[in-house]
Structure formats: C-alpha cells, structure tokens
Amino acid sequence: MKVIGLLGGMSWESSAEYYRLVNERVRELRGGFRSARTVLYSVDFAEIEAMQAEGRWDDAGRELNRAARGLEAAGADFVVLCTNTMHKVADQLTEGLGVPLLHLADATAAAIKAAGVGRVDLLGTGFTMAQPFYRDRLAAHGLDVLVPGEQDRETVHRVIYDELVHGVVTEDSRERYREVIVRLVEAGAEGVIYGCTEIELLVGPEDSPVPTFPTTRLHAEAAVDYALGKSSLPPAV
C-alpha cells in the first residue's frame, strides 16, 4: 500500500472527512483491521484564509509547497490536497516535488465522464466558482461547466466561510443550497459538483434532482484506489 500524503487544515472540518473516508474505503476493500497508510500535514487555516482574502496566492503557493515537501520527507508516495480552492496554486505546490499530486479536478472529471454526464453545475467557494483555474481544468476534460449567478454565488460562499468551516450546519442553509441547485438544473445542468470539501457536510444526493459529484468522497476514493494499485492516477490535462 502506498503512503497517502494528506495536505489538510483548509478547513480541518473537511480534512477530518478525508481521513474518515480514506480509512472507510480501505476497510471496505481490504476488510478486517486494515486501515490506510497516511501522513497528514495540517496548516493553520487562518493564515491561508488571510492570503486568499488579500489575493496573496503566490504566498499561499509557497506555503503549500513547503507543506507538500514535508509530506514527501515524511514518506508520502503521493500528495492529496484536501481542498478544492487551493488547487489554484497546484502548479506552485508541485514545484520541485518528487512525488505526484493527485489533482482533485482530474479525479472529479473522471467520475463525471464515467457517469455519462456532460454538463455540470459547479458549487464551491467564490474563488472556485468565479475564477477559471478549476472550471478550465474541468472543461479541458470535455465538460461543460455552469456556475450560479452572482447572488447565488455569494450565498454559497457565505455559507461555506461563515458556517461550514466552523462546523455549523443549518436546515435554512441546506434549503438555500437546494434552491440554487434547482435554478441551475433549470438552466440545463445534468449533474452537480459539490466543489468545496465542506459542502458535503450540508447537502447530499437527496438534495438534488440530478446526479451529484461529491469531490471529497471522489478524491478520497481515488486516493485509496491508487494507493492499493487498483487504478492509476486519473488522467491529467
């Protein structure tokens, strides 16, 4: 079994989900007392969030590169960045790194294409929805990606940063997300990407009239399958 390097803390709420899902997947596939071989580097999200808010993405990239190198030094065979938004700095993160990054967008795109879905709605932080780094990566896999309108993007982002990263889950916010999803399905979305690792704490497949693609779970499962030699890394673009 390869050693999975989890680069988390953004937020720790979702990183805990990664750890749980990775180990549940190993138990499902191997049974008994088997669990995943992992190393975890958890950053201080307050520092990263300040860099996001101030547009200091280069600083964030250098910080995550240092963390990824730490995972490699600790014995990780590959790196799993436990956040959608910070894949904006994936190129910086991998500079000089001697082990591969399992890119979350590639793992998500592979699952969407396997499901036969071509046009998807992307929910995530304001950065992920509005900026091209993530949407373009998905589009390069042949997907047509929709995002909510400005007001809905603000709602989705606010719930993530004001509630979910702090472990707050409310029925009112769940209903707001359902309304956003319905509007995008009416606009032609054939599936919904839960493109922020905290979103899965709030909504599930039952909250959407079309198939959902929970990136945390998909990423964790792809990591385990690669670690166990069941599959190769998802094709990059």
Side-chain angles (χ1 to χ4, degrees), residues 20-235:
R20 179 181 66 82
L21 291 167
V22 160
N23 282 288
E24 285 182 350
R25 178 71 167 172
V26 170
R27 183 173 60 192
E28 173 191 341
L29 296 175
R30 290 290 183 90
F33 295 104
R34 299 301 296 269
S35 57
R37 298 179 65 205
T38 64
V39 290
L40 169 66
Y41 191 116
S42 187
V43 302
D44 181 354
F45 188 40
E47 297 174 358
I48 300 297
E49 190 278 333
M51 294 173 189
Q52 292 175 340
E54 296 164 10
R56 294 189 289 118
W57 296 102
D58 286 345
D59 291 342
R62 283 189 287 270
E63 178 62 27
L64 295 189
N65 179 263
R66 284 192 290 271
R69 288 171 181 262
L71 287 170
E72 182 181 7
D77 292 306
F78 64 103
V79 172
V80 172
L81 179 57
C82 303
T83 160
N84 285 266
T85 297
M86 296 313 297
H87 277 75
K88 178 178 172 67
V89 299
D91 289 343
Q92 282 179 276
L93 183 152
T94 55
E95 287 179 4
L97 196 65
V99 295
L101 171 71
L102 196 168
H103 199 289
L104 195 155
D106 295 338
T108 300
I112 294 169
K113 293 173 72 174
V117 173
R119 197 175 201 206
V120 288
D121 160 32
L122 173 61
L123 299 182
T125 67
F127 308 110
T128 301
M129 291 184 289
Q131 297 181 22
F133 70 93
Y134 199 87
R135 290 183 285 112
D136 285 357
R137 185 94 177 196
L138 294 170
H141 284 280
L143 300 175
D144 184 11
V145 183
L146 303 175
V147 295
E150 183 176 357
Q151 185 173 348
D152 283 344
R153 289 200 305 270
E154 290 175 357
T155 297
V156 171
H157 181 88
R158 178 192 59 75
V159 169
I160 292 168
Y161 275 82
D162 291 354
E163 299 176 15
L164 299 180
V165 300
H166 302 294
V168 177
V169 177
T170 71
E171 186 59 36
D172 181 68
S173 291
R174 182 175 292 114
E175 184 57 32
R176 299 290 81 72
Y177 267 55
R178 289 171 179 159
E179 293 169 357
V180 171
I181 291 168
V182 166
R183 281 191 281 274
L184 281 153
V185 171
E186 291 173 347
E190 301 167 349
V192 179
I193 300 172
Y194 291 159
C196 175
T197 48
E198 286 84 13
I199 286 178
E200 291 157 65
L201 302 175
L202 179 66
V203 287
E206 68 279 3
D207 297 298
S208 169
V210 295
T212 59
F213 299 93
T215 58
T216 301
R217 179 173 292 277
L218 294 173
H219 204 197
E221 291 178 353
V224 170
D225 289 355
Y226 178 61
L228 295 180
K230 289 176 57 63
S231 65
S232 57
L233 290 175

